[in-house]
């Protein structure tokens, strides 16, 4: 079955520690995204990547880093510079272009909940 | 800039009631419009979408019509069930070059048996 997987489901971070959230897709999608979701709020875009070896900052990139070495993988690192990392993190992917240049739907993984010890 | 505004929740209804969740948007171009649903502890799932004016998206008894004249994309269902309890997000994508999607803040729906 094609889809997006995120691991782990729950992740605990200690003070001053960097942690990495995994996101893998086997949909052959070019574009991948990371969002942060806080209680009672919508989704906020952290980083996105339209193609391998390229990525752009979203609205709240500070304290996060990403890499896109392979088409199917887009890991997110939450660094110690992110002072309020507790949140639900969602990864998504989409085909970059649809015929005529219209937007394609984003497909989401099940999410990783990050908690600070 | 582009934005999405949806009604604040939570919305609480009895089973078999009629549902409307309002969504309006602001966009500079010709956006595609989406409704996503998030069940507790899970990621978002696409519920329905419409890519041009007057299109109607539908799925699982839910419907939404793309109204360019009122810049709206309201979600409706004729008879809700307890299993419809979730958070619903309205979203749009606009630019032909930019892959970003803009989401509303979400509306939590509670259906009482």
């Amino acid at each position: 079955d094609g889809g997006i997987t995120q691991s782990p489901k729950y992740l605990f971070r200690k003070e001053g520690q960097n942690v990495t959230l995994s996101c893998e897709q086997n949909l052959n999608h070019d574009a991948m995204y990371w969002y942060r979701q806080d209680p009672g709020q919508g989704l906020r875009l952290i980083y996105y990547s339209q193609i391998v070896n390229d990525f752009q900052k979203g609205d709240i990139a500070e304290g996060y880093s990403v890499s896109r070495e392979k088409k199917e993988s887009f890991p997110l690192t939450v660094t110690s510079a992110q002072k309020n990392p507790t949140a639900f993190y969602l990864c998504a992917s989409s085909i970059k272009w649809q015929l005529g240049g219209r937007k394609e739907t984003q497909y989401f993984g099940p999410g990783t909940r990050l908690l600070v010890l | 800039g582009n934005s999405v505004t949806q009604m604040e929740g939570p919305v609480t209804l009895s089973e078999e009631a009629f549902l409307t969740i309002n969504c309006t948007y602001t966009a500079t171009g010709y956006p595609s419009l989406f409704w996503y649903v998030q069940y507790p502890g899970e990621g978002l799932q696409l519920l329905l979408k419409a890519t041009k004016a007057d299109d109607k998206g539908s799925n699982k008894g839910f419907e939404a019509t793309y109204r360019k004249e009122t810049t709206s994309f309201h979600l409706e269902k004729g008879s809700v069930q307890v299993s419809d309890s979730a958070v619903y997000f309205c979203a749009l994508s606009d630019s032909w070059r930019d892959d970003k999607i803009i989401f509303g803040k979400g509306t939590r729906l509670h259906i009482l048996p």
Side-chain angles (χ1 to χ4, degrees):
Chain A
D1 287 336
I4 303 176
T5 57
Q6 291 185 242
S7 62
K9 190 172 177 67
Y10 295 95
L11 185 59
F12 298 92
R13 193 190 91 163
K14 296 179 181 178
E15 290 287 338
Q17 186 182 41
N18 293 352
V19 292
T20 298
L21 285 62
S22 169
C23 178
E24 304 276 332
Q25 55 98 1
N26 61 3
L27 300 166
N28 200 33
H29 285 173
D30 287 311
M32 297 186 74
Y33 314 79
W34 274 105
Y35 294 92
R36 170 179 172 141
Q37 186 179 26
D38 293 283
Q41 297 193 30
L43 279 68
R44 293 185 289 171
L45 183 64
I46 305 173
Y47 268 99
Y48 66 105
S49 168
Q50 296 175 317
I51 196 169
V52 175
N53 292 323
D54 185 51
F55 48 82
Q56 288 81 40
K57 293 182 179 179
D59 301 318
I60 55 164
E62 186 173 352
Y64 300 97
S65 66
V66 293
S67 62
R68 187 83 187 280
E69 298 176 1
K70 298 185 296 183
K71 186 175 184 178
E72 58 271 22
S73 178
F74 191 42
L76 173 73
T77 297
V78 184
T79 74
S80 57
Q82 173 49 245
K83 298 306 179 187
N84 184 23
T86 298
F88 190 51
Y89 290 87
L90 289 162
C91 179
S93 71
S94 66
I95 299 172
K96 184 180 178 184
W97 290 109
Q98 190 178 6
L99 183 65
R102 298 299 300 178
K103 276 301 176 56
E104 183 54 71
T105 304
Q106 288 190 10
Y107 295 87
F108 284 80
T112 293
R113 189 165 298 280
L114 176 60
L115 300 166
V116 177
L117 296 177
Chain B
N2 297 337
S3 66
V4 174
T5 302
Q6 58 182 111
M7 63 190 291
E8 291 190 17
V11 173
T12 303
L13 296 171
S14 297
E15 204 166 21
E16 299 184 0
F18 183 86
L19 168 71
T20 300
I21 300 178
N22 290 338
C23 172
T24 56
Y25 67 90
T26 302
T28 54
Y30 301 94
S32 293
L33 301 173
F34 307 84
W35 276 102
Y36 283 85
V37 58
Q38 184 179 33
Y39 298 102
E42 298 183 9
L44 274 67
Q45 303 174 24
L46 179 68
L47 182 59
L48 54 85
K49 70 177 182 180
T51 57
K52 61 183 186 296
D54 299 324
D55 269 1
K56 177 186 284 189
S58 61
N59 186 25
K60 299 181 182 178
F62 290 90
E63 293 183 340
T65 301
Y66 188 143
R67 302 284 188 200
K68 192 166 171 30
E69 63 276 13
T70 55
T71 61
S72 65
F73 192 56
H74 304 322
L75 182 68
E76 296 181 337
K77 186 174 185 181
S79 177
V80 293
Q81 301 169 0
V82 173
S83 57
D84 293 327
S85 298
V87 180
Y88 292 81
F89 292 91
C90 185
L92 73 81
S93 64
D94 191 2
S95 167
W96 286 51
R97 284 185 291 235
D98 188 332
D99 290 298
K100 291 189 286 185
I101 287 185
I102 296 169
F103 289 88
K105 292 190 174 182
T107 302
R108 184 173 297 278
L109 175 65
H110 294 291
I111 305 300
L112 303 175

